[in-house]
Amino acid sequence: MHRKNLNYRGGMNDRNMEKAKPRTRDSRVTKSLILAAAKSEFARLGLGGARVDVIANKACVNKRMIYHYFGSKEKLFQTVLEEAYLDIRSAEQELALDHLPPRDALETLVRFTWDYYLENPEFIRLVNSENLHRARHLEQSDRIRAASRRFVDMVRNLLDRGVADGVFRDGIDPVQLNITIAAIGYYYLTNRYTGAILFERDFMDKDALDQRLRFNIDTVMRLVERRPVPAGNPDDPA
Amino acid sequence: MHRKNLNYRGGMNDRNMEKAKPRTRDSRVTKSLILAAAKSEFARLGLGGARVDVIANKACVNKRMIYHYFGSKEKLFQTVLEEAYLDIRSAEQELALDHLPPRDALETLVRFTWDYYLENPEFIRLVNSENLHRARHLEQSDRIRAASRRFVDMVRNLLDRGVADGVFRDGIDPVQLNITIAAIGYYYLTNRYTGAILFERDFMDKDALDQRLRFNIDTVMRLVERRPVPAGNPDDPA
Amino acid sequence: MHRKNLNYRGGMNDRNMEKAKPRTRDSRVTKSLILAAAKSEFARLGLGGARVDVIANKACVNKRMIYHYFGSKEKLFQTVLEEAYLDIRSAEQELALDHLPPRDALETLVRFTWDYYLENPEFIRLVNSENLHRARHLEQSDRIRAASRRFVDMVRNLLDRGVADGVFRDGIDPVQLNITIAAIGYYYLTNRYTGAILFERDFMDKDALDQRLRFNIDTVMRLVERRPVPAGNPDDPA
Amino acid sequence: MHRKNLNYRGGMNDRNMEKAKPRTRDSRVTKSLILAAAKSEFARLGLGGARVDVIANKACVNKRMIYHYFGSKEKLFQTVLEEAYLDIRSAEQELALDHLPPRDALETLVRFTWDYYLENPEFIRLVNSENLHRARHLEQSDRIRAASRRFVDMVRNLLDRGVADGVFRDGIDPVQLNITIAAIGYYYLTNRYTGAILFERDFMDKDALDQRLRFNIDTVMRLVERRPVPAGNPDDPA
DNA sequence: TATGAATGAGTGTTCATTCAT
DNA sequence: AATGAATGAACACTCATTCAT
């Protein structure tokens, strides 16, 4: 009745102003309108915080449609999450890391991960929410599992090639590496709010972002590269 | 005034036995009971998801007491969060890193961070929640800022000593290092739910935990240590 | 003061048969049912004393509908109040005082005001409540201001005509007159409870009411009429 | 997460700083402190709106004392109200109207009533509240009844003397006159908030107040004075 | 006499979801 | 396919009042 955001409407509804009757009648459009609005709201406020009414309003559809197409708020969240994961996995595949030299491929992956998080802030917020809910929704999706398997294989292959080329050291677990690559970008971004207070700096400043990316690339390259063991190296049992 | 007797509850009624009323009448105890229950609930379900009634019940206090002592759910959350941060900062100080050789000190810090996260799972969940809320609550606390400054100084000092000893390379930003140390542990643990699905392994398995800690120590040590620059190193401008 | 009426169900209805759900599904009907119930409850108990639950029950609608249509208890009160004022202002216009001789018109107005207060006891109670709240709700309504202006004009015109006819004395402020006409009726009725105790008589007795109306008409006619100034008249400076 | 508490007092309960410990230990002082605070709060917010905590705080006494001395919020209200009525009745007696000529005495009474309302704004607000509650509290007080009887007698005597002196007309009911004298002042003041909006003027402006007092004196004097009946007088049956 | 701690029953308000068309 | 109306079960928060000392 009140408080609705006045300038929402945005997006692709250049049809009839005043919300009018000739609704889309195109179920595909309706569904994707809902998904876009839901992604934005779930990212902003989490599963519990997002409001079905607000999502319907932002999507310019009747609230009932959400239930028609998705069954429940929770199933809608699940769908949003699945799409978000499929998107990043698909983008990773497009990197075609197999066609790059190992070191370049690895740096490309670190850069891509960082850039993707930066450009798709909803993604990390959705993942955060999902982990607060102990991945209860992701569990259902087999498509995600398959896509992830392909992704791990890609990194494993990259590492193997690097070892064969003599530039990477042996024995690195591709899953641990993946986790670390994600962690050093993801944590910086999700925890930038508390970080700003704790470390008294602006995490989103252009220079700060550049500096962090360089630091992360450095961290990962040093982690994998094969090199003369210096005296007192922790790898050295002596 | 009358009608009371219909559902009389006074004195020593035989029900609600199980709620184990301590009826403390000691405000210090009451406050800390509330804080403990709140910490657990906020960690479990986040600020929005936690229920004031449940907190009161778990603390065995009347709900009204929460408002008496903390003013609102949100201020209660803020207090819980502040205490949680002060706890970890205080534990870090007790490590007395200044009395250890730099490399030992750094490894100790990585281990401690990991162990603390593992043993205080509420901490990372609280921090996660707070970041979902853009650190709106932490912002108020000056005690946190002061404690954090001391912490950063400690790490800076550690790095400086390492450089002086010739074991660490120069120019490492203690804040970036701190973030990375936190990230590689924190992310592994908070995202273990989605991780379990994506990577199809049990993140909390004893061996998995040990392996991750070793991996993290390795990552950090390689990141800071001074060593001969191998050919093709990205640091090398040539 | 609180918790008193547990099973209160509104007015003097004999419990209106288990809530008799009309399930109107007609928003206009629903809204006016809510307004009617709210008017009655706000009049009975004031803004603070009225209970949203009771209003919903009396209106046979779900409590949620009140928030759907009116936003908040306070906005509902505001709407009720606005409607009440518009009602009396509209009834006054229907008196068509301009078509009556001035003295008749004035007496008609006094009678009407009295009768309206008597027949619409909610009105004066609502106005009383609103004044307890310093007219914070009425302030918003421009429709009320416009209607009031028309009303004052009507009385001013009436006085002017009386002066022109030589029956009313000159210089009477129509606003002061209005206030007095309202006051002598309104005060008698709103303060009849304390009055009954102070003056030990039944203010609502048929004869008492008639007597008061006559007294009020007399007061107003004497106040306005032009007449030979008797010796020692206060108007007389001597 | 909504509805911020209005009387929140900041931090944890480190209040009662300035509230000092050397409590009075003088029951008379304590009681009158409570009464003064209660009068102010009940006048401001009504019986339902006033808060026992706030009253205790304003009185600088422990909340428990209110119950100790007055039994309940409602009985406290009753006491406040009774005192307020006794105060005005006692002030009226001090006017010694019996020693003034009838016309002067009447004008004095009108002036006094007006001034008293103006200088004791709590009085009219308390009376208003009590009438919202149908005088349920005043009912108990016999002292009020006695004082009122004396007051009515005073006015009756005044009228009788005026009739005897030939300056007042016969047959005026002292109670009706009292009600009117009160009404034209009281209504103006209690309804000044809605009045300000309806009539678009500042009711509390110095000039407006003076003008109203003159208007009221005029109204009352014209109402009572004996004078030649003009043609067409409504009293005239012809 | 005086007090801080504690409480039960409510208050306004919200929300995901279903009904009737 | 689409919609406006309607709902029940919470939820955060409040308040007059009593307990224990």
Side-chain angles (χ1 to χ4, degrees):
Chain A
M1 158 154 316
H2 44 131
R3 122 215 20 202
K4 296 287 96 108
N5 41 353
L6 302 173
N7 54 349
Y8 67 100
R9 291 229 155 240
M12 56 275 306
N13 60 339
D14 43 342
R15 47 222 156 132
N16 46 32
M17 301 291 94
E18 99 277 345
K19 223 172 143 206
K21 347 350 270 266
R23 273 277 67 76
T24 34
R25 292 272 168 191
D26 179 336
S27 65
R28 232 139 31 136
V29 172
T30 299
K31 274 169 88 164
S32 76
L33 280 170
I34 293 172
L35 278 174
K39 184 179 193 173
S40 150
E41 286 302 295
F42 284 135
R44 231 165 41 88
L45 301 162
L47 170 56
R51 298 294 162 233
V52 174
D53 287 81
V54 175
I55 292 171
N57 254 313
K58 276 185 95 165
C60 296
V61 306
N62 185 286
K63 189 166 41 162
R64 193 64 190 74
M65 288 296 91
I66 291 177
Y67 290 91
H68 183 67
Y69 286 119
F70 299 95
S72 74
K73 186 192 185 187
E74 206 137 354
K75 290 219 194 89
L76 175 59
F77 180 79
Q78 190 177 313
T79 308
V80 163
L81 195 71
E82 195 176 23
E83 299 255 306
Y85 266 111
L86 291 176
D87 279 353
I88 189 175
R89 288 296 100 100
S90 136
E92 280 157 353
Q93 289 306 323
E94 282 172 21
L95 292 177
L97 299 186
D98 297 339
H99 300 68
L100 292 176
R103 307 184 97 261
D104 292 350
L106 186 56
E107 184 175 329
T108 298
L109 179 60
V110 176
R111 274 184 195 281
F112 166 82
T113 303
W114 174 259
D115 290 342
Y116 192 89
Y117 289 167
L118 258 183
E119 286 158 21
N120 300 276
E122 313 93 353
F123 177 73
I124 50 182
R125 294 184 72 90
L126 288 171
V127 173
N128 239 11
S129 287
E130 177 63 353
N131 275 295
L132 272 176
H133 292 278
R134 297 189 157 74
R136 156 159 57 100
H137 310 91
L138 199 62
E139 215 154 35
Q140 337 266 333
S141 173
D142 288 321
R143 301 162 70 201
I144 297 297
R145 277 179 238 261
S148 294
R149 234 168 277 142
R150 259 203 317 282
F151 172 57
V152 173
D153 289 344
M154 191 176 80
V155 177
R156 178 178 302 112
N157 179 255
L158 186 163
L159 283 173
D160 288 348
R161 287 196 296 126
V163 173
D165 290 2
V167 294
F168 292 167
R169 62 191 173 96
D170 198 5
I172 295 178
D173 177 356
V175 167
Q176 296 287 7
L177 180 62
N178 271 331
I179 293 171
T180 293
I181 291 172
I184 57 186
Y186 183 104
Y187 177 91
Y188 179 93
L189 292 170
T190 60
N191 286 38
R192 65 181 187 262
Y193 303 105
T194 51
I197 291 162
L198 264 34
F199 299 121
E200 294 172 308
R201 61 169 71 175
D202 179 0
F203 276 50
M204 295 306 279
D205 176 86
K206 174 87 175 64
D207 288 342
L209 291 172
D210 288 347
Q211 192 199 337
R212 181 66 190 173
L213 174 56
R214 277 198 312 277
F215 193 89
N216 287 348
I217 291 171
D218 199 25
T219 301
V220 172
M221 298 318 289
R222 283 174 193 271
L223 171 58
V224 299
E225 72 198 359
R226 180 162 165 277
R227 51 166 175 61
V229 178
N233 183 297
D235 291 348
D236 192 301
Chain B
M1 177 158 306
H2 34 90
R3 115 188 34 209
K4 274 292 161 58
N5 331 26
L6 295 179
N7 53 352
Y8 177 71
R9 292 185 134 276
M12 51 219 58
N13 57 343
D14 40 348
R15 51 200 136 171
N16 69 8
M17 279 297 94
E18 81 298 303
K19 230 184 84 183
K21 296 211 181 185
R23 198 55 139 312
T24 37
R25 209 131 202 120
D26 177 335
S27 67
R28 227 129 47 126
V29 171
T30 300
K31 273 166 88 166
S32 76
L33 280 171
I34 293 172
L35 278 175
K39 184 177 194 173
S40 149
E41 284 303 293
F42 284 136
R44 232 166 39 90
L45 301 163
L47 170 55
R51 299 295 163 230
V52 175
D53 288 82
V54 175
I55 292 171
N57 256 314
K58 276 186 90 166
C60 295
V61 307
N62 185 288
K63 184 167 44 161
R64 190 64 189 73
M65 289 292 93
I66 290 177
Y67 292 91
H68 182 62
Y69 288 119
F70 299 97
S72 71
K73 186 191 184 186
E74 206 140 353
K75 292 225 189 79
L76 176 57
F77 180 79
Q78 191 178 313
T79 307
V80 164
L81 195 70
E82 197 177 21
E83 301 255 305
Y85 266 110
L86 291 176
D87 279 354
I88 188 175
R89 287 296 100 100
S90 137
E92 281 158 353
Q93 290 303 324
E94 283 173 19
L95 293 176
L97 299 185
D98 298 337
H99 299 68
L100 293 175
R103 308 183 96 260
D104 292 351
L106 186 56
E107 186 176 328
T108 299
L109 179 59
V110 176
R111 274 184 193 283
F112 166 81
T113 304
W114 173 260
D115 289 341
Y116 193 89
Y117 290 168
L118 257 184
E119 285 158 23
N120 300 276
E122 314 94 352
F123 177 73
I124 50 182
R125 296 184 69 90
L126 288 171
V127 173
N128 240 11
S129 286
E130 177 64 352
N131 276 295
L132 273 176
H133 292 278
R134 298 189 156 74
R136 152 160 61 100
H137 310 92
L138 198 62
E139 214 156 33
Q140 336 266 334
S141 174
D142 288 320
R143 301 163 69 202
I144 297 298
R145 277 178 240 262
S148 295
R149 232 169 279 143
R150 258 203 317 282
F151 173 57
V152 173
D153 289 343
M154 191 175 80
V155 176
R156 178 180 301 112
N157 179 256
L158 185 162
L159 283 172
D160 288 347
R161 288 195 297 125
V163 172
D165 291 3
V167 293
F168 292 166
R169 62 193 173 95
D170 199 4
I172 294 180
D173 178 355
V175 168
Q176 296 288 7
L177 180 62
N178 269 331
I179 294 171
T180 293
I181 291 172
I184 55 185
Y186 183 104
Y187 176 91
Y188 179 92
L189 292 170
T190 60
N191 288 36
R192 67 181 186 262
Y193 304 104
T194 52
I197 292 162
L198 265 32
F199 300 120
E200 294 173 306
R201 61 169 72 173
D202 179 0
F203 277 51
M204 296 306 279
D205 176 86
K206 175 86 175 65
D207 288 342
L209 291 172
D210 287 347
Q211 191 200 340
R212 181 67 190 172
L213 173 56
R214 277 199 311 277
F215 193 89
N216 287 347
I217 292 171
D218 199 24
T219 301
V220 172
M221 298 318 289
R222 284 175 192 270
L223 170 59
V224 300
E225 73 197 358
R226 181 162 165 276
R227 52 166 174 61
V229 178
N233 184 298
D235 292 347
D236 191 297
Chain C
M1 170 87 23
H2 59 139
R3 106 191 50 183
K4 277 292 149 64
N5 40 357
L6 298 174
N7 53 354
Y8 177 77
R9 294 186 130 271
M12 53 214 52
N13 58 344
D14 34 349
R15 203 133 318 183
N16 59 11
M17 307 301 112
E18 96 277 345
K19 226 181 128 189
K21 297 210 181 185
R23 199 53 139 314
T24 36
R25 216 146 191 103
D26 177 335
S27 68
R28 238 155 9 150
V29 171
T30 299
K31 273 166 91 163
S32 74
L33 281 171
I34 293 172
L35 278 174
K39 183 177 193 174
S40 149
E41 285 303 293
F42 283 135
R44 236 167 37 92
L45 300 163
L47 170 56
R51 298 296 163 229
V52 174
D53 288 82
V54 175
I55 292 172
N57 256 315
K58 276 186 91 167
C60 297
V61 306
N62 185 288
K63 187 166 44 158
R64 190 63 189 75
M65 288 291 94
I66 291 177
Y67 291 89
H68 183 62
Y69 287 119
F70 298 96
S72 71
K73 186 190 185 187
E74 205 139 355
K75 291 223 191 82
L76 176 59
F77 181 78
Q78 191 178 313
T79 307
V80 164
L81 194 72
E82 197 177 21
E83 300 254 305
Y85 266 110
L86 291 176
D87 279 352
I88 188 174
R89 288 294 101 102
S90 137
E92 281 158 353
Q93 290 303 323
E94 282 172 20
L95 293 177
L97 299 185
D98 298 338
H99 298 70
L100 292 176
R103 309 184 95 259
D104 292 351
L106 186 56
E107 185 176 329
T108 298
L109 179 59
V110 176
R111 274 184 194 281
F112 167 81
T113 303
W114 174 259
D115 289 341
Y116 193 88
Y117 289 168
L118 258 182
E119 286 158 22
N120 299 278
E122 314 93 352
F123 177 74
I124 50 183
R125 294 184 71 91
L126 288 171
V127 173
N128 240 12
S129 286
E130 177 63 352
N131 276 295
L132 274 175
H133 292 277
R134 296 189 159 74
R136 150 161 62 100
H137 311 92
L138 199 61
E139 215 155 32
Q140 336 265 335
S141 174
D142 288 319
R143 301 163 70 201
I144 297 297
R145 276 178 239 261
S148 295
R149 233 169 276 143
R150 260 204 315 282
F151 173 56
V152 173
D153 289 343
M154 192 175 80
V155 177
R156 179 180 298 112
N157 180 256
L158 185 163
L159 284 173
D160 288 347
R161 288 195 297 126
V163 172
D165 290 2
V167 294
F168 291 166
R169 63 193 174 93
D170 199 4
I172 295 179
D173 178 355
V175 168
Q176 297 287 8
L177 180 62
N178 270 331
I179 293 170
T180 293
I181 291 173
I184 57 185
Y186 183 103
Y187 177 91
Y188 179 92
L189 292 170
T190 60
N191 287 37
R192 68 180 185 263
Y193 303 104
T194 51
I197 291 162
L198 266 33
F199 300 121
E200 294 173 305
R201 60 169 74 174
D202 180 0
F203 276 50
M204 296 305 278
D205 175 87
K206 174 88 176 65
D207 288 341
L209 291 172
D210 287 347
Q211 191 201 338
R212 182 65 191 174
L213 174 56
R214 276 199 312 277
F215 193 88
N216 286 348
I217 292 171
D218 199 25
T219 301
V220 172
M221 298 318 290
R222 283 174 193 271
L223 171 58
V224 299
E225 74 197 358
R226 181 163 167 274
R227 53 169 174 58
V229 178
N233 183 296
D235 291 348
D236 191 298
Chain D
M1 205 74 47
H2 56 133
R3 163 198 353 214
K4 302 283 95 114
N5 41 351
L6 301 173
N7 55 351
Y8 178 75
R9 297 181 111 286
M12 317 279 90
N13 58 342
D14 44 346
R15 49 199 148 167
N16 73 7
M17 288 294 94
E18 79 299 305
K19 236 180 84 183
K21 16 303 299 237
R23 270 283 65 76
T24 33
R25 291 271 168 193
D26 178 335
S27 67
R28 223 125 52 120
V29 172
T30 300
K31 272 171 90 164
S32 77
L33 280 171
I34 293 172
L35 278 174
K39 184 178 193 173
S40 150
E41 285 302 294
F42 284 136
R44 230 163 44 88
L45 301 163
L47 170 55
R51 299 293 162 235
V52 174
D53 288 81
V54 175
I55 292 171
N57 254 314
K58 276 187 93 164
C60 294
V61 306
N62 185 285
K63 188 163 44 161
R64 193 63 190 77
M65 289 295 92
I66 291 177
Y67 291 90
H68 183 68
Y69 286 120
F70 299 96
S72 74
K73 186 193 186 185
E74 206 139 353
K75 291 220 193 85
L76 175 59
F77 180 79
Q78 190 179 312
T79 308
V80 164
L81 194 73
E82 195 176 22
E83 300 255 305
Y85 265 112
L86 291 176
D87 279 352
I88 188 175
R89 287 296 100 100
S90 136
E92 280 158 352
Q93 290 304 323
E94 283 173 19
L95 293 177
L97 299 186
D98 298 339
H99 299 68
L100 292 175
R103 307 184 96 260
D104 292 351
L106 186 56
E107 185 175 327
T108 299
L109 179 59
V110 176
R111 274 184 195 282
F112 167 82
T113 303
W114 174 260
D115 289 342
Y116 192 88
Y117 289 168
L118 258 183
E119 287 158 22
N120 300 277
E122 313 93 353
F123 178 72
I124 50 182
R125 294 184 71 91
L126 289 171
V127 173
N128 239 12
S129 286
E130 177 64 352
N131 276 295
L132 273 176
H133 292 277
R134 297 189 158 74
R136 159 159 55 102
H137 312 90
L138 198 62
E139 215 155 34
Q140 337 265 332
S141 172
D142 288 322
R143 300 162 71 201
I144 296 296
R145 277 179 239 261
S148 295
R149 233 169 277 143
R150 259 202 319 281
F151 173 57
V152 173
D153 290 343
M154 190 175 80
V155 177
R156 178 179 301 111
N157 180 256
L158 185 163
L159 282 174
D160 288 347
R161 287 195 297 126
V163 172
D165 289 3
V167 293
F168 292 166
R169 64 193 172 93
D170 198 6
I172 294 179
D173 177 356
V175 168
Q176 296 288 7
L177 181 61
N178 270 331
I179 293 170
T180 293
I181 291 172
I184 56 184
Y186 183 103
Y187 177 91
Y188 180 92
L189 292 169
T190 59
N191 287 36
R192 67 181 185 262
Y193 303 104
T194 52
I197 291 162
L198 266 32
F199 300 120
E200 293 173 307
R201 60 169 71 175
D202 180 359
F203 276 50
M204 295 307 278
D205 176 86
K206 175 87 175 67
D207 289 341
L209 291 172
D210 288 347
Q211 192 199 339
R212 181 66 190 173
L213 174 56
R214 277 198 311 276
F215 193 89
N216 286 348
I217 291 172
D218 199 25
T219 301
V220 171
M221 297 318 290
R222 282 175 194 272
L223 171 58
V224 300
E225 75 198 357
R226 180 163 166 276
R227 52 165 175 62
V229 178
N233 184 297
D235 292 347
D236 191 299

